[in-house]
Amino acid sequence: GARQVVVAADRPPAELETLDERVRSRLRGGVAFEIGAPDVQLRRDILRARYISAATQNPGLDIPETIMEHVAHSVMSNGRDLEGAL
């Protein structure tokens, strides 16, 4: 049967220079949606999930809620930047 492929990128398909032209052409023929920056609640949720994951691997990890809240309000671009800040 037919399969669907979902590709996430930080730019439109035409600007993905590192991909082969045939792949870019195929992506341009699909449906593209722009996803905006996460709101503050989603940023909190992302940080909380990343913190829980990191804490299971590093049991001594302790990041105060005030720091988490500061990061949620300060880093507004994307999930990768939030994870980097954490």
Side-chain angles (χ1 to χ4, degrees), residues 37-82:
D39 64 11
V40 70
Q41 185 57 52
L42 182 54
R43 293 193 304 266
R44 283 184 191 116
D45 293 344
I46 291 169
L47 285 168
R48 195 164 291 111
R50 298 290 191 231
Y51 175 68
I52 290 169
S53 176
T56 59
Q57 296 175 7
N58 304 289
L61 185 65
D62 181 25
I63 300 175
E65 187 63 34
T66 54
I67 298 299
M68 300 275 280
E69 192 66 17
H70 174 74
V71 172
H73 282 276
S74 301
V75 180
M76 296 181 268
S77 51
N78 61 55
R80 286 187 307 249
D81 290 345
L82 280 170

